[in-house]
Amino acid sequence: MSYYDYIIIGSGIAGLYIALLAIERGSVLILTKGSIDDCNTKYAQGGIAAPIGKGDSPESHFEDTMAAGGGLCDAEAVRILVNEAAECITDLIGLGVPFDTLNGEITLTREAAHSVPRVIHAGGDATGEHIEVTLSQQVRSSPIEVLEHCLATEILVENDKVKGVKALDCRAGSMEEYSCRFLILATGGVGRLFKYTTNSDVVTGDGIALAFEAGAEICDMEFFQFHPTVLRLPGVAPFLITEAVRGEGGILRNVEGYRFMPDYVAEAELAPRDIVARSIVYEMKKTHSDRVFLDVTHLPPRLITTRFPHIYRFCREHGLDIAEGLIPVAPAAHYLMGGVSVNECGETNISGLFAAGETACTRVHGANRLASNSLLESVVFGKRVVERTEMIQKLTVTASVPQQSRRCPSEEELQARRRGSEEPYFLPEREMLPSVPAPNLPELQSLMWDKVGIIRSGESLSEAASILSSWQRFLLQPIDRPSSELNDLVLCGRIMTEAALLREESRGAHFRTDFPHTLPEWQRHIVFRKDHGAE
Ligand code: FAD
Ligand code: SIN
């Protein structure tokens, strides 16, 4: 069995950035289930939030992040995010990411719920593509080993310590084991759970399912963000129309041409995402339509073509000139706030197992993520993962407490703040439904969209929980990537649904018609862990 100091699963921003830092400290293997650039990162449009502009400050970024998070952001984690942002942006520039500049200064755009323009971008609206291509080129010209088309299927744990990972070589069809000192999950979110989604088809919750099966704690799964403005054109796959379009002055109109957002909320189009997405759903219902329109026809055409060249081109290719016509949009699944529960150095409750990027739940986003904080979270907490592993290495070698790293807290502090302070829930036993068909991906995606989507209720969630639980019993031992992904999605869907059922309130992205208010007794996190005793 091959041994590496670090095995990283996933090759989006989190996996690649961590690999580039880790290779300075030991041997690194990246396993990724598609080709290296198959990931969500590549599709990021708006950019990376960082409080680096004149008139901005980490304090202001902190306030905006906390306000969007609906009372569930971890203040300590958010402080880290905003204070360490500038340094990570400098790292990315050093690695060659070509952020847009004007007269030598980085240009900043505004997105919803940010009080100032603070979002750095590249290629106008092609930020993710520039990041992914730059980082993957750096990885390719380094000693990092990359195995593409290699699907991680099981985390190997012995005596509560990570030993390695089992993976399927999707091309050869063979199963391999790799061992390591540190295993880092950077497998992204779970956006393919839903019928309408902005997410790449590799984003199927694998890391979360694997971590759960291995005994790791999974947190905040009920908080899933739906992006308000995703292109809704017949026969065209959902395509994101970045929030930055509204930041630059885009207006939402219903099918009758009426600007409706000011009727719902004072910040109108720039209200937090959950509010805009729900307002659009209400407006679509009111007007008996499956879409609303985003209007940029009042903006200078040059601004549209230079700031949003990618969107402009994509729409043009599908017969729509957005400088002249309205853009049909509707909400779609976008981002998971929850995930594998980690402390501020990316550690899970299993020794040697780390998580970073969208897979991880650092608790910076709380119940609702502020736009463009995700790429930032991936790099800020990714860097901390590597620093923590370095500290652990030194601890082992010198058998004495090394000088404390600037970023990583001491062992005692980490113990005190180690995740696992909440009493975890186990998935409840549910009665097997007599006549449920065997699960398949489209049915799962429709079920989640209809019953566990933007607007939920106890009734819809109970129905979904029963079906998902019955489906879990139908699932077969996976034999290939699709069957493995389906199993992982069903498990993630189940955890999400059970968490949403438990949370009898509405907060951030989680909205229930039977509990429409935010309740102080629910200002806490819901954590799930596998009940190994029940096996
Ligand atoms: P990903 O980039 O999704 O990468 C996950 C990797 O894990 C992939 O390489 C995948 O193949 C691999 N993988 C998964 N499972 C396995 C397995 N079992 N075995 C092996 N490999 C596996 N955020 C922002 O901050 N700003 C934005 O402007 C922005 N725009 C967005 C636009 C779109 C359309 C989307 C979908 C998201 C956007 N986001 C944005 C969110 C952000 O892009 C993601 O949260 C972020 O890129 C996640 O990075 P990641 O490295 O965690 O995961
Ligand atoms: C967008 O560009 O609207 C997406 C930004 C994000 O998801 O953070």
Side-chain angles (χ1 to χ4, degrees), residues 43-49 111-112 114 119 125 127 198 225 227-229 240-246 273 308 311 334-335 369-375:
Y43 298 104
Q45 292 184 358
I48 306 190
E111 289 189 21
H114 284 278
V119 179
D125 53 359
T127 310
T198 62
Q225 186 167 72
H227 197 289
T229 54
L240 185 79
I241 308 291
T242 173
E243 196 152 277
V245 170
R246 279 172 283 133
R273 248 172 222 184
F308 307 111
I311 295 175
H334 187 60
Y335 182 84
R369 176 177 63 103
L370 188 66
S372 289
N373 264 354
S374 167
L375 296 172

Side-chain angles (χ1 to χ4, degrees), residues 192-208:
R192 297 304 288 193
L193 251 186
F194 295 92
K195 179 172 169 184
Y196 298 103
T197 180
T198 62
N199 283 208
S200 150
D201 62 8
V202 293
V203 181
T204 52
D206 304 9
I208 297 165

Side-chain angles (χ1 to χ4, degrees), residues 10-11 13-14 32-33 38 40-41 44 46-47 152 187 206 358 372 374-375:
S11 55
I13 186 171
T32 192
K33 70 179 172 182
D38 286 339
N40 263 1
T41 299
T187 45
D206 304 9
E358 196 170 334
S372 289
S374 167
L375 296 172

Side-chain angles (χ1 to χ4, degrees), residues 8 44 81 93 101 104 139 148 156 186 202 212 242 252 259 261 284 325 338 341 400 421 441 489 510 519:
I8 299 164
L81 182 82
I93 294 170
T101 55
V139 163
E148 295 177 299
L156 304 170
V202 293
F212 178 82
T242 173
L252 284 165
R259 183 185 179 195
M261 274 312 300
M284 292 194 309
S341 188
S400 65
S421 47
L441 187 59
L489 282 168
H510 169 70
L519 302 174

Side-chain angles (χ1 to χ4, degrees), residues 339-416:
V340 182
S341 188
V342 294
N343 65 15
E344 59 264 50
C345 294
E347 286 176 295
T348 69
N349 55 306
I350 298 175
S351 176
L353 180 65
F354 292 75
E358 196 170 334
T359 313
C361 181
T362 59
R363 308 181 189 202
V364 286
H365 307 306
N368 194 26
R369 176 177 63 103
L370 188 66
S372 289
N373 264 354
S374 167
L375 296 172
L376 180 63
E377 179 200 25
S378 301
V379 287
V380 165
F381 289 92
K383 188 163 192 166
R384 288 178 144 257
V385 164
V386 180
E387 292 190 349
R388 175 66 183 142
T389 59
E390 190 176 31
M391 194 169 159
I392 295 171
Q393 304 254 38
K394 283 187 188 153
L395 261 173
T396 322
V397 172
T398 63
S400 65
V401 179
Q403 202 174 16
Q404 195 177 315
S405 133
R406 186 164 56 83
R407 253 177 285 269
C408 284
S410 67
E411 278 307 298
E412 297 73 42
E413 282 174 302
L414 273 176
Q415 284 301 334

Side-chain angles (χ1 to χ4, degrees), residues 40 64 71 149 233 245 337:
N40 263 1
D64 291 346
H149 306 283
L233 271 180
V245 170
M337 270 74 75

